[in-house]
Amino acid sequence: MEQLAAMRVYLRVAELASFTQAAERLGLPKASISAAVQQLENQLGTRLLHRTTRRVQMTQDGQAYYERCRDLLSDMDELQAMFQAGEGELTGRLRVDLPASSARMYVLPRLPEFLAAHPRIELELSSTDRRVDLVREGFDCVMRVGVLGDSSLIARRLGRFEMVNCASRDYVARHGLPATLADLGRHRLVHYTATLGARAAGFEYLTADGVVFLPMAGVITVNNSDAYQAACRAGLGIIQVPRVGVADGLTSGELVALLPDWRAEPMPVSLLYANRRHLPRRVQAFMAWLAEVMAPYLIA
C-alpha cells in the first residue's frame, strides 16, 4: 500500500481503536488494514499499536507518529486543494467537538450556512458534555465552557456566558422565593457533576474576595446540561446556568430568576486546538465562523 494511504489507514485505526471498525469505515478488507499498519511498523522499526483481543491502543511512539501524521496529511489535503479546487475553496475532513447545549441551541441552527459556503468540507460533529481528548481522538478543535486546566493546547477565548440562578414557577410556588443566602437552607439545588459519584460543589456565588460555594441539599444529581435544565423545569430544584440558555423560560414565566446579587462567576467560553506550525485553512475558517455565531450570546 502506498505510504500516504497507509498513514491514513493508521490514523483511522488509532482514532477508532479498532481494526474492524476502521475497515468498515474505509471500505477495505480487514487484512488490508492490518497489512498497512504492519508495513508502517516495519518501515519505522517500531511498534505503533498494542493489540489485544479486546482493544487496540497506541504506544508512546504510535502517539507521536499519529500527531505528526495527522498534521502532515492535513497539510497535504490543503496543498492539493489549492490547485485542484482553487485557492479560495476549502476541502477535507473537519472534526470538531461542542458542548451539547451549545451545539443544539446556537451552532446547529446556523450550520447549513457554513456548509453551503464550503460544500467540499466533510464535517464530523461531536456534541457531548464529556471532555474529549482532542489529540488522541483526532479533533481539529473543540469548544469548552468553563475554566480551562493546564494543557499543551492553544486556547482562544471567545467570551463569557452571563450566569443566572433560576427555578421553575411550580418550585417557587411550593417552596417560596429565597431573598437571602440564609434562605437557601430551606431550598434544594439540582446538583451537577461531570462524573456521577463525585461530590457536588454547591451553590456558587462571586464576592469581592473570589468565588464561594455554599453546600446545599438536593434530591437529584445529573451529569449533562440538558438533564440539568430539565430537572429544573420539572420543579426539582434551583440551577445556575448561562442566562441565554434559559431566556425563553424566563420570558414566558415558566422559570423565575433568583438572588440576582449572588450569582456564579461568568463562565468562560474558549476554542482549543493543537499546537501546530500551520493550522489548516478549513480549521481557521470554522473557528472564525464559530466565533461569529457565538458572539451575540457572550459578554466580554
Side-chain angles (χ1 to χ4, degrees), residues 212-226:
V212 178
F213 292 94
L214 177 67
M216 279 187 65
V219 296
I220 185 171
T221 300
V222 300
N223 65 352
N224 75 76
S225 53
D226 287 337

Side-chain angles (χ1 to χ4, degrees), residues 231-254:
C232 174
R233 292 175 188 262
L236 295 176
I238 297 169
I239 62 172
Q240 300 183 280
V241 288
R243 178 181 291 274
V244 66
V246 292
D248 61 336
L250 295 172
T251 300
S252 69
E254 178 189 4

Side-chain angles (χ1 to χ4, degrees), residues 88-92 112-122 281-282 285-286 289:
E89 189 169 5
L90 303 180
T91 186
E113 68 185 55
F114 177 81
L115 295 177
H118 308 289
R120 290 174 59 86
I121 284 183
E122 300 175 10
R281 288 192 305 123
R282 61 181 175 275
F286 182 80
W289 175 82

Side-chain angles (χ1 to χ4, degrees), residues 80-96:
Q80 186 176 21
M82 286 176 60
F83 299 99
Q84 290 187 348
E87 188 174 354
E89 189 169 5
L90 303 180
T91 186
R93 189 197 70 172
L94 183 62
R95 177 178 288 184
V96 301

Side-chain angles (χ1 to χ4, degrees), residues 62-78:
Q63 179 70 53
Y65 188 69
Y66 170 87
E67 295 173 15
R68 296 299 298 271
C69 275
R70 191 164 177 269
D71 287 352
L72 175 62
L73 291 173
S74 291
D75 289 343
M76 290 293 294
D77 287 344
E78 188 165 348

